[in-house]
Amino acid sequence: MKYASIVNNFCKYVESVLFKLPNLIICFAKVCQIIKTKTYKTLMHLETVMMFR
């Protein structure tokens, strides 16, 4: 009986992790996108500044 409850709890835990996983992936992707955009803008800005010196 104890083993069955452990398996049941484990399954619930896995389900909750899998349920949260898409949100974490979306969040991570958004953060990456923001970092990419900021880096790109900063580099463009630096190139522009260097060109006009």
Side-chain angles (χ1 to χ4, degrees):
M1 199 66 207
K2 191 178 179 188
Y3 181 71
S5 69
I6 289 170
V7 170
N8 191 25
N9 285 341
F10 181 72
C11 287
K12 280 183 184 171
Y13 176 73
V14 170
E15 274 179 25
S16 71
V17 169
L18 287 176
F19 189 71
K20 287 175 186 164
L21 205 60
N23 289 339
L24 289 173
I25 292 169
I26 290 165
C27 184
F28 184 68
K30 280 182 182 172
V31 170
C32 283
Q33 199 174 16
I34 290 166
I35 290 169
K36 269 191 202 167
T37 308
K38 287 200 176 207
T39 307
Y40 181 73
K41 282 182 180 172
T42 307
L43 287 173
M44 290 297 287
H45 178 71
L46 285 173
E47 279 185 17
T48 310
V49 169
M50 292 298 178
M51 275 169 54
F52 287 113
R53 276 191 167 177

